[in-house]
Amino acid sequence: MIAPKWWKESVAYQIYPRSFYDSNGDGIGDLPGILQKLDYLKELGVNLLWLNSIYVSPDVDNGYDISDYQSIHPKFGTLTDVERLIEEVHRRDMRIIFDLVINHTSNQHPWFVESRKSRDNPFRDFYIWRDGKDGREPNNWKAHFAKSAWTWDEQTNQYYLNTFSPFQPDLNWKNPTLRAAVHKMMEWWLAKGIDGFRLDAISFISKAANYPDHPGVEPYIFKLDNMMHGPEYHFYLQEMNQKVLSKFDVVAVGECINLTVESAIEVSAPERKELNMPFLFEHTDDTYRHGKNPQRLKEIISRWQLGLHGKGWIGLAFNNHDLPRVVSMFGDDGQYREVSAKMFGTLLLTLEGTPFIYQGEEIGMTNVAFPSISDYRDLATHNLYHELIHEKGESPAKALAEIHAKSRDNARTPMQWDSSPQAGFSSTKPWLGANPNYALINVAQELENPDSIFYYYQKLIDFRKANPVWVYGQYSACLETDPDIISYTRTLGQDQLFIILNCTRKTLAFSMPENILVAEKALLISNYPVDLANGMSLLSLRPYEARVYGLTILE
Ligand code: TEU
Ligand code: CA
């Protein structure tokens, strides 16, 4: 039996505040806007909110370059707004976790301003400074959003390490004074009543000893191996747990990179006292890089469900603020948008692991295709466009097509509330254009349609909150050899779910697994009308058809 925990039983919802709801007409989502939409989230049924970074920041990377961890960027509101939001969330029996970006700060953080002043400044060792080697950077590491992971600083004639961009210098976690300062800040937030953190890019806080070159010949190489999971990684997580997290009833969700089942167990096994769960990314990494492939998806899902059960825990998501929209990347955002959105919602909410719904996923929001690169705001998007054209020699048209498929701005267009101008998100031009399809895809429309994606998610969430087998049931794969169908059971005591999902736009016949005796009356939820008279035969699935049956195992 898996130890019951509130964060295992929660259904989470990720809010990207700057795109959620603009309450004061400046084109940017804000905290009072979230407050005004709490009842919408309560109606959906989610009970754990994750807010992306809202701290003071020069906003080079949309708040992932923090210059004050304990103040709120004025565009989002004030600390009083935060305290009010925490209170209102708790009053609705919901919980709220904040982002924690502690692998790096902004280059305008006072710590870095001091650190770069002189080599003997008290804050020098809050960051990672190195001499060049043979007149070049200390090694050949490439950054996520820039050519090199090292930036030359003229004030003291040394390089500093920046895993992401020159505006985001990496903190030096080897320095116990730095770690203590981070712990103190974390405790300050937890004392305000938030229910935990999502730890941004946490894998990178420990690098390979002495920052070795990546093997290879190009001047800069983007391989993550040496940049993360270094020798002190688990010590830092155990120390953080022991000094901060263990003092509160909170959840710590790690944005951990390149995980295996084994390394996920290492960070989430309760007896290791590190994090509560990492996010699963293997499925989104695979589809992002190699395109849709139900067979690979089902292999990944199965391996993780079977490998983690009873050993560790995982956060599940099919999209977030860094990824394309699930219905575009995994499903079909054209003819089968609604049924494929519901199908992937069924997959998300019937697996073991805490499900994270990303804002707009519950109404089937899609990727956007802006006509020009100048319509995009994301630092990574502009960096990718530049690299595609100037390093890979691609045409602007081909580069823009790649941007359409992969840009992080696909997930950051304003939440589509209704069909009024700017999708009802703001009374003025938003910081990032609204997806033109907001006239057809919006919350108002969904709330009027009893068969909407919203109400389908609401039903799945209700089932999950009411039935422990949805949370704790042992996963067992079915129809494993079928390349187009993902099917499995979840079993807890005598309760059993049988889930079957057509991951394609084809109509598929299948044979019922021999140990599954299903009567139509056992059907709990489906994304197609159940119409036995007109041919919804038990043994064939329509495009993206999803079914969940509730069974009782007779002794
Ligand atoms: O994302 C981390 C991130 O971009 C990497 O995990 C990347 O996805 C992986 O290394 C594969 O390339 C977090 C935030 O979610 C993102 O919005 C920030 O831009 C980034 O960290 C820097 O803080
Ligand atoms: Ca605003």
Side-chain angles (χ1 to χ4, degrees):
M1 179 61 186
I2 298 176
K5 292 283 181 190
W6 63 262
W7 38 266
K8 294 179 182 175
E9 297 164 11
S10 298
V11 177
Y13 188 92
Q14 179 190 355
I15 295 175
Y16 194 67
R18 71 187 64 218
S19 301
F20 193 60
Y21 183 61
D22 170 21
S23 70
N24 64 348
D26 65 357
I28 301 163
D30 45 56
L31 294 169
I34 298 172
L35 203 57
Q36 289 180 36
K37 298 296 182 182
L38 282 188
D39 290 333
Y40 163 75
L41 297 172
K42 182 73 183 169
E43 188 184 356
L44 177 60
V46 296
N47 50 17
L48 172 58
L49 306 182
W50 157 30
L51 260 54
N52 285 100
S53 173
I54 53 175
Y55 312 101
V56 172
S57 159
D59 257 1
V60 175
D61 185 19
N62 283 14
Y64 286 83
D65 47 320
I66 295 171
S67 50
D68 184 348
Y69 285 106
Q70 294 175 231
S71 294
I72 304 304
H73 198 297
K75 69 174 68 169
F76 295 125
T78 65
L79 274 175
T80 308
D81 291 324
V82 163
E83 284 153 3
R84 176 101 194 283
L85 181 62
I86 295 168
E87 192 185 321
E88 287 300 312
V89 163
H90 288 162
R91 204 165 59 77
R92 291 169 174 78
D93 287 334
M94 298 158 88
R95 289 181 165 96
I96 184 166
I97 64 175
F98 276 22
D99 227 308
L100 192 66
V101 187
I102 48 178
N103 171 66
H104 48 275
T105 67
S106 161
N107 61 341
Q108 295 177 38
H109 191 291
W111 290 345
F112 189 71
V113 172
E114 282 303 310
S115 180
R116 67 193 304 195
K117 277 182 181 166
S118 67
R119 295 195 184 199
D120 59 1
N121 183 288
F123 287 90
R124 187 68 173 180
D125 284 344
F126 267 43
Y127 295 87
I128 298 165
W129 296 92
R130 311 282 285 189
D131 294 325
K133 199 167 70 179
D134 314 327
R136 295 186 39 114
E137 292 84 354
N139 67 23
N140 64 358
W141 297 0
K142 185 187 178 307
H144 279 77
F145 314 137
K147 239 191 195 13
S148 170
W150 297 93
T151 301
W152 177 252
D153 194 72
E154 259 152 24
Q155 277 180 261
T156 55
N157 287 332
Q158 275 194 314
Y159 289 92
Y160 63 84
L161 177 65
N162 52 250
T163 300
F164 286 90
S165 81
F167 308 97
Q168 296 163 288
D170 281 44
L171 287 166
N172 174 20
W173 274 75
K174 288 179 186 293
N175 180 349
T177 311
L178 177 272
R179 299 203 305 270
V182 169
H183 297 158
K184 188 160 171 268
M185 174 271 289
M186 289 174 70
E187 188 144 359
W188 184 82
W189 273 115
L190 294 176
K192 284 193 172 301
I194 63 172
D195 301 287
F197 296 106
R198 172 264 188 182
L199 291 94
D200 179 76
I202 197 67
S203 305
F204 296 99
I205 61 175
S206 175
K207 287 85 171 151
N210 304 316
Y211 311 98
D213 270 334
H214 291 310
V217 291
E218 299 97 62
Y220 306 107
I221 297 176
F222 185 60
K223 271 169 62 71
L224 299 170
D225 316 40
N226 290 328
M227 303 175 87
M228 59 184 196
H229 296 159
E232 307 92 351
Y233 180 54
H234 293 291
F235 165 69
Y236 295 153
L237 295 181
Q238 287 161 10
E239 183 191 52
M240 181 191 292
N241 186 305
Q242 191 260 318
K243 289 190 185 279
V244 184
L245 299 170
S246 59
K247 296 177 184 166
F248 302 83
D249 177 16
V250 293
V251 68
V253 187
E255 188 202 27
C256 301
I257 311 302
N258 288 12
L259 279 178
T260 60
V261 171
E262 295 66 34
S263 62
I265 292 170
E266 274 191 335
V267 293
S268 66
E271 64 276 11
R272 286 185 53 92
K273 298 186 181 357
E274 295 189 11
L275 304 178
N276 301 111
M277 66 183 101
F279 275 115
L280 175 63
F281 286 119
E282 185 174 347
H283 62 314
T284 45
D285 281 350
D286 181 84
T287 306
Y288 182 88
R289 291 180 189 140
H290 311 301
K292 298 170 194 167
N293 183 310
Q295 191 143 18
R296 282 206 313 271
L297 178 60
K298 71 191 276 180
E299 185 281 322
I300 294 167
I301 296 282
S302 257
R303 177 160 36 87
W304 279 88
Q305 291 287 300
L306 295 171
L308 279 184
H309 186 73
K311 297 191 182 118
W313 198 257
I314 198 88
L316 290 172
F318 280 84
N319 45 187
N320 62 32
H321 65 295
D322 291 333
L323 288 172
R325 290 273 176 185
V326 53
V327 78
S328 300
M329 184 161 84
F330 285 94
D332 173 311
D333 58 13
Q335 178 184 357
Y336 297 106
R337 183 182 65 85
E338 289 186 276
V339 282
S340 69
K342 292 175 181 177
M343 188 235 101
F344 281 97
T346 310
L347 180 56
L348 173 72
L349 285 148
T350 56
L351 288 173
E352 180 178 310
T354 303
F356 281 73
I357 297 162
Y358 180 63
Q359 70 177 46
E361 171 184 342
E362 80 279 12
I363 62 167
M365 278 176 67
T366 70
N367 281 359
V368 69
F370 289 131
S372 156
I373 190 64
S374 62
D375 298 313
Y376 289 86
R377 297 288 171 271
D378 172 30
L379 161 74
T381 298
H382 284 278
N383 184 60
L384 172 61
Y385 185 78
H386 184 271
E387 282 187 355
L388 289 171
I389 292 181
H390 299 289
E391 286 172 30
K392 296 200 176 136
E394 289 195 11
S395 68
K398 198 156 176 311
L400 191 61
E402 175 108 357
I403 295 300
H404 286 164
K406 305 221 163 170
S407 169
R408 299 193 301 181
D409 280 342
N410 280 314
R412 302 175 179 186
T413 57
M415 180 72 181
Q416 295 168 195
W417 294 104
D418 59 41
S419 57
S420 69
Q422 323 297 354
F425 161 76
S426 172
S427 57
T428 187
K429 185 172 182 302
W431 69 279
L432 171 68
N435 189 321
N437 66 17
Y438 71 81
L440 300 171
I441 301 172
N442 60 68
V443 166
Q445 189 103 317
E446 291 284 300
L447 294 178
E448 279 162 19
N449 168 10
D451 292 330
S452 66
I453 302 164
F454 175 90
Y455 287 122
Y456 187 88
Y457 265 72
Q458 183 190 61
K459 227 178 283 174
L460 287 169
I461 295 166
D462 284 349
F463 271 124
R464 187 168 177 110
K465 292 195 299 190
N467 299 282
V469 62
W470 288 58
V471 178
Y472 297 111
Q474 164 75 62
Y475 170 101
S476 177
C478 304
L479 306 179
E480 288 156 283
T481 56
D482 187 306
D484 299 317
I485 292 175
I486 293 183
S487 179
Y488 48 94
T489 56
R490 301 282 310 281
T491 307
L492 183 70
Q494 287 191 280
D495 290 336
Q496 184 171 63
L497 300 176
F498 171 60
I499 296 101
I500 186 158
L501 310 166
N502 176 353
C503 299
T504 73
R505 49 193 311 158
K506 298 179 280 191
T507 296
L508 299 171
F510 69 96
S511 47
M512 192 60 77
E514 66 283 354
N515 58 336
I516 301 286
L517 298 174
V518 167
E520 265 326 296
K521 66 178 181 345
L523 184 65
L524 298 177
I525 186 169
S526 171
N527 59 351
Y528 276 86
V530 177
D531 179 355
L532 285 178
N534 298 330
M536 184 207 126
S537 97
L538 205 51
L539 299 180
S540 84
L541 292 170
R542 289 159 283 190
Y544 293 103
E545 182 161 1
R547 294 186 208 156
V548 182
Y549 292 93
L551 312 173
T552 305
I553 297 178
L554 306 174
E555 289 308 320

